Amino acid sequence: MNLYVLLIHILSRQWPSLVEVAETRQLPPMLIERYNTAAGEGTALCGIFAGIHRAWATVDNSFFVWRFDKW
């Protein structure tokens, strides 16, 4: 197989999804309240520390961390 054919074969394959949604959880009420106070004018980011069962979120200068397996 020459390089061109190999490259076409690789590029024609579909890439797997980067994120798979396994389940969803509600956000803590305090976080929702802070987000609503910002009225869409602020910055919000979030993520998960899967190894320690914690989720995090920021809204402007507020930082929230909670256990997502007990919530």
Side-chain angles (χ1 to χ4, degrees):
M1 184 179 290
N2 68 31
L3 182 59
Y4 176 76
V5 173
L6 179 61
L7 189 59
I8 294 300
H9 176 71
I10 291 171
L11 293 176
S12 67
R13 294 175 39 191
Q14 293 225 355
W15 289 96
S17 173
L18 295 177
V19 177
E20 181 179 323
V21 177
E23 62 184 89
T24 60
R25 304 276 179 133
Q26 293 292 321
L27 295 172
M30 183 181 283
L31 174 61
I32 299 292
E33 181 181 322
R34 178 66 180 98
Y35 181 77
N36 289 337
T37 301
E41 296 296 320
T43 300
L45 302 169
C46 62
I48 294 177
F49 298 120
I52 59 171
H53 304 284
R54 301 293 192 276
W56 65 268
T58 62
V59 178
D60 293 334
N61 64 344
S62 299
F63 181 67
F64 302 88
V65 178
W66 66 97
R67 287 187 68 153
F68 62 79
D69 62 337
K70 300 275 185 181
W71 184 248

